Amino acid sequence: MIAMRKKPRDGCCVYKPTREDIRRGCEEIQATWSPQQRAKRNRRTRATFWTLPLIRLSDLDEAFDGEWADRS
């Protein structure tokens, strides 16, 4: 059941959903999503496509040595 609460000033009813109402509404909407739409809306899947590049310390040493050699 949807909770209706009275607005203190003018006495009219205002819809203020409870957490359970919001959760139930979200589940109803998400139940209509196709697998493609669900994958598109799933934010966590985006992070799995990119990872930090691995850099060897020896590569950095060589790069810095090269820069210092070019400056002299």
Side-chain angles (χ1 to χ4, degrees):
M1 174 157 177
I2 296 175
M4 296 294 282
R5 300 186 181 120
K6 288 192 175 186
K7 202 172 180 181
R9 273 188 256 138
D10 53 9
C12 71
C13 291
V14 177
Y15 173 61
K16 289 190 177 182
T18 62
R19 289 182 183 204
E20 182 63 26
D21 292 335
I22 294 169
R23 186 192 59 75
R24 193 177 311 115
C26 290
E27 287 175 354
E28 289 174 10
I29 292 169
Q30 291 173 11
T32 65
W33 291 355
S34 67
Q36 293 84 9
Q37 190 172 18
R38 186 174 301 281
K40 179 181 173 184
R41 291 177 178 267
N42 187 357
R43 294 183 190 168
R44 287 175 278 175
T45 58
R46 291 183 190 165
T48 60
F49 290 95
W50 185 83
T51 58
L52 289 170
L54 297 176
I55 300 173
R56 292 180 299 177
L57 187 56
S58 60
D59 292 341
L60 291 175
D61 286 339
E62 291 172 12
F64 285 125
D65 288 343
E67 283 184 22
W68 285 110
D70 292 342
R71 290 185 183 180
S72 21

